[in-house]
Amino acid sequence: MSMNRVLRIASTLPLALMLYALLAFLGLISLAWNLIAMLLYPVMPEAPARALGRMTIAFAYRMFWGLASVTGMMRIDASCLDRMRDEPGVIFVANHPTMLDALLLVARLPRSACIMKADLLRNIFLGAGARLARYISNESARTMVRLAVADLRNGGQLVIFPEGTRTVTPPLNPFRPGVTLIAKLAQAPIQTVFIDTDSPYLAKGWPIWRVPPLPIVFTLRLGQRFAPTQHSDALQSELEQYFRQHMEQRASDASPACQTPRAPTLS
């Protein structure tokens, strides 16, 4: 190993340890809340359980983002969502560059439900809390649509990533069907949200233990709001095209000279 590499690893090791500690904190608070949620789920009525579950998850994620900002590990600007935190019956649709995207939105939207992969609802760090909050599984498309519509009609909000998984083929994976059908049946508007980051951390294929250049920067931007229509398939195509055009334009406008200075990666 060259001396330059040894020095580079030595200089970034404190940042790596701090990032690992931050992720460990997130894991611990998630595990602790899920143990509590496991006890509450069988005995709490649905409405207060849903409200408590969603507010607690949002509060925990805001703590995580606050600590990440204070320690200099991350720089987050998601304040554009704050004025919508109490607006009922809205579907928030976003692109999906990293594993942390849902945490960004849910932290600012304490009345929102996520549509989650079914296996995550069985995860020891997420499952019990997600069930208490009445998050929605994507295991059955029909059940997913029915529960999402009912939640929106009941004054909830919905967070959904129509790519279905983290972006594999930038700038955007093809959208999966469902969101515009939910909007049609619930008569709910679709608020688009763009998640901007130039960090590769926790993108598809990036292992959680590999330290990226720091700080990790996330910026959320509000896009156009789409009204529900009877022609959900046409709206689905329009929505995907809107995202694709804006993200391609954003990528072409980005200037390397404007990037935030970062510490180098450990790996």
Side-chain angles (χ1 to χ4, degrees):
M1 184 181 294
S2 70
M3 181 57 68
N4 285 341
R5 180 165 173 76
V6 170
L7 291 173
R8 184 163 64 87
I9 291 175
S11 66
T12 56
L13 189 58
L15 293 174
L17 293 175
M18 195 176 295
L19 181 62
Y20 294 145
L22 185 65
L23 294 174
F25 168 76
L26 177 62
L28 286 173
I29 60 174
S30 296
L31 182 59
W33 172 241
N34 275 269
L35 292 174
I36 296 170
M38 195 180 300
L39 300 175
L40 294 177
Y41 184 79
V43 298
M44 279 194 77
E46 181 176 335
R50 179 174 57 239
L52 175 65
R54 294 181 186 183
M55 285 190 297
T56 303
I57 291 171
F59 177 73
Y61 289 162
R62 287 194 78 145
M63 278 201 305
F64 169 72
W65 292 121
L67 188 58
S69 298
V70 167
T71 57
M73 295 294 96
M74 301 184 191
R75 295 179 185 169
I76 302 106
D77 182 2
S79 58
C80 62
L81 295 174
D82 287 347
R83 61 187 173 88
M84 299 182 186
R85 56 180 285 131
D86 295 319
E87 185 178 354
V90 179
I91 303 173
F92 292 88
V93 171
N95 57 309
H96 199 3
T98 82
M99 196 184 291
L100 297 172
D101 302 332
L103 280 65
L104 286 165
L105 273 70
V106 169
R108 299 281 182 164
L109 301 170
R111 68 189 302 160
S112 65
C114 278
I115 291 183
M116 301 177 64
K117 291 182 178 179
D119 57 347
L120 290 179
L121 286 168
R122 296 185 283 269
N123 184 291
I124 189 172
F125 292 98
L126 298 171
R131 289 192 296 273
L132 186 72
R134 270 51 180 192
Y135 284 7
I136 299 166
S137 169
N138 69 353
E139 190 166 30
S140 163
R142 181 173 295 180
T143 301
M144 177 191 77
V145 170
R146 177 176 58 81
L147 292 175
V149 169
D151 197 283
L152 288 162
R153 287 176 175 171
N154 197 38
Q157 297 172 335
L158 185 66
V159 170
I160 185 168
F161 301 97
E163 293 175 84
T165 186
R166 284 168 288 168
T167 305
V168 178
T169 54
L172 201 70
N173 298 335
F175 279 9
R176 295 183 180 181
V179 60
T180 54
L181 176 60
I182 292 169
K184 169 186 171 181
L185 296 175
Q187 284 299 290
I190 298 172
Q191 176 62 59
T192 58
V193 182
F194 293 94
I195 301 174
D196 294 329
T197 181
D198 62 355
S199 173
Y201 189 58
L202 296 183
K204 202 74 169 177
W206 186 281
I208 194 169
W209 49 262
R210 185 181 177 192
V211 180
L214 297 169
I216 301 165
V217 179
F218 290 104
T219 303
L220 271 60
R221 296 179 290 117
L222 294 180
Q224 180 179 331
R225 180 173 290 206
F226 289 81
T229 74
Q230 292 303 306
H231 306 289
S232 57
D233 290 341
L235 182 57
Q236 174 96 5
S237 298
E238 183 182 352
L239 187 65
E240 180 177 346
Q241 186 63 23
Y242 171 76
F243 263 92
R244 193 171 298 279
Q245 286 179 347
H246 277 253
M247 293 182 66
E248 288 173 350
Q249 181 64 41
R250 188 76 174 179
S252 65
D253 289 346
S255 169
C258 295
Q259 300 302 319
T260 303
R262 292 187 173 100
T265 182
L266 180 64
S267 54

